[in-house]
Amino acid sequence: TRSFTVKNIPVPPDHVRPTITINNAPASGSVVASLNDPITGTASDADSGLRDVRLFLYRQSDGMCWNGSTWVSTFTQMTDAVTPATWSIGPMPSPGANPSTDLTDGIYAMVAAAYDNACNNKGETRSFVVDSSAPSDISFTKIGDVSNPVDNSVVSLLTPVHGTATD
C-alpha cells in the first residue's frame, strides 16, 4: 500500500483589480452622430487571470439598455461575455428615429467591465451625446452692407456676418 500526505499550501489572495481600456468609443463629454461598430478594447489581469469582459450601453432618456439587437428595459450586457485580452463587441445600433432599434439622439453611457478569476472587477465608463440631426433653422442678420446673400451670388465687399442656428 502507498500512503501520502496532503499539505495545504497557502495561495495568496488576489485583491488587485484587472485593467480595462475602451479603444474606439466616443470620449466622455463628446458629441457624435454614430458609434463605431464593433467597440474594441483591451483587458488584463496578472494575478488570478482574466475571466471575462462585458459591455453595457445605456440610454439615459428612457433608461433602456442595448442588448445587441434591441433596446430593453433591464440593465443588460450587450452580448455574451468575451474572454480575450483584446476584445471586440458588437453590433452597435445605427442612428435613426425608432427608439426600439435605433441610436436616437440623446445622452448615453457606455460601460466596459473586466472581471478576474478572483471576482475582482474594474469598469471604464464613457458618457457622450448622440446628435445625428442637422440644425433645423439657420438665419443671418444684416451687418454692414451684406444682408442675407443669395446662394451663388457674388459679393464685392466682405463684412462680418452674424447668425443663429437652432437644433
Side-chain angles (χ1 to χ4, degrees):
T1 64
R2 294 185 186 187
S3 66
F4 59 91
T5 304
V6 176
K7 292 184 178 183
N8 289 330
I9 301 172
V11 176
D14 175 3
H15 296 292
V16 179
R17 298 178 346 163
T19 62
I20 187 158
T21 303
I22 303 173
N23 293 335
N24 67 333
S28 285
S30 64
V31 178
V32 298
S34 64
L35 296 176
N36 292 319
D37 192 9
I39 298 297
T40 63
T42 58
S44 65
D45 185 78
D47 294 325
S48 64
L50 185 65
R51 187 179 74 210
D52 60 40
V53 173
R54 301 172 190 180
L55 189 67
F56 303 85
L57 180 60
Y58 174 76
R59 185 170 56 200
Q60 292 186 2
S61 64
D62 57 8
M64 302 290 269
C65 278
W66 181 250
N67 71 2
S69 61
T70 190
W71 293 95
V72 295
S73 61
T74 56
F75 195 71
T76 305
Q77 67 190 37
M78 285 188 44
T79 59
D80 291 337
V82 295
T83 55
T86 301
W87 51 269
S88 174
I89 299 177
M92 293 293 127
S94 299
N98 184 339
S100 295
T101 58
D102 295 338
L103 186 70
T104 56
D105 289 358
I107 300 171
Y108 290 81
M110 181 178 291
V111 178
Y115 297 83
D116 71 12
N117 290 312
C119 297
N120 298 309
N121 64 70
K122 183 172 183 184
E124 181 178 344
T125 302
R126 305 273 183 96
S127 295
F128 53 91
V129 174
V130 171
D131 185 357
S132 61
S133 58
S136 60
D137 184 31
I138 300 175
S139 63
F140 292 97
T141 55
K142 181 178 179 178
I143 303 290
D145 294 331
V146 179
S147 176
N148 294 323
V150 178
D151 287 345
N152 299 317
S153 63
V154 176
V155 179
S156 61
L157 178 64
L158 295 177
T159 60
V161 177
H162 294 282
T164 60
T166 41
D167 189 13

